[in-house]
Every structure is written in structure tokens, then in C-alpha cells.
Amino acid sequence: QVQLVESGGGVVQAGASLRLSCALSGNTFSRYAMGWFRQAPGKEREYLAGISGSGGMTNYADSVRGRFTIARDNAKNTMYLQMDSLKPEDTAVYYCAAEEPRYGSSWDRESDYDYWGQGTQVTVSP
């Protein structure tokens, strides 16, 4: 069974940076396209960014494009989300996800992802 574990969350001041990590175990890492989502209190889960298995293609939600960067290191079985210029509205639980290879998947559709981590809390104070 594929398992994902997020880490790197914490409490920071507005304008600061954080790098989240997502470690995958249980199968060949490069096989999976992966993504990041977040869920703020009282709000729906929100898509942030996606990356192809090779790392050659990336995709970003408009809300984070230019501030967040998704990357992966397949040799380490790890995906990253570099978050810069953090704002209080970025406060949320951040989740990583992985999907089995298939044709016709959408970057931002939760139901296309097969495996999810437990989440890591990011809090940005004003």
C-alpha cells in the first residue's frame, strides 16, 4: 500500500517562507503524478499545485502561482512545496496526494488522486 507523510508545517509570520515535504513509500515513486492541496477552517479543500511523475510538468492554482513552487526528488522519494511570501490567508492544513497513472486526469480534481497524507498544519500570523 502506498503511504504519504507530510512534514515541514509550523507557525510563521506573514512574509516568511516554509518548505513542506511529502515522503512516499510502498511503490515506485516516479510512477505517480502528485499534488498539493490545503483546507482552511470552514472552507472546502483547495487545489494548489501538481507535478508529473518525471517532474517535467507542473501546474499551479492562480491563488499561489508566483509564490509557491512544487518540485520532486525521485531519488529521495520526496515531493516539496516551497512557499514564499506567506500570508495569513495561507493558514490551513496542507495535504499531499498521489495518483496512479491514467489518461485524462485533471490536476485539480480531488477524486483523481488515489493516495493522501494526513496533513501538516501551516499557520501564518499577521
Side-chain angles (χ1 to χ4, degrees), residues 37-41 45 90-95 118-122:
F37 293 75
R38 69 185 179 190
Q39 188 166 25
R45 188 168 295 185
D90 294 319
T91 296
V93 177
Y94 284 68
Y95 299 90
Q118 294 295 311
T120 185
Q121 176 71 44
V122 172

Side-chain angles (χ1 to χ4, degrees), residues 53-74:
S54 69
M57 297 182 64
T58 59
N59 179 269
Y60 296 93
D62 290 342
S63 60
V64 302
R65 186 178 290 110
R67 294 192 300 125
F68 291 9
T69 304
I70 189 170
R72 66 193 297 160
D73 186 340
N74 287 348

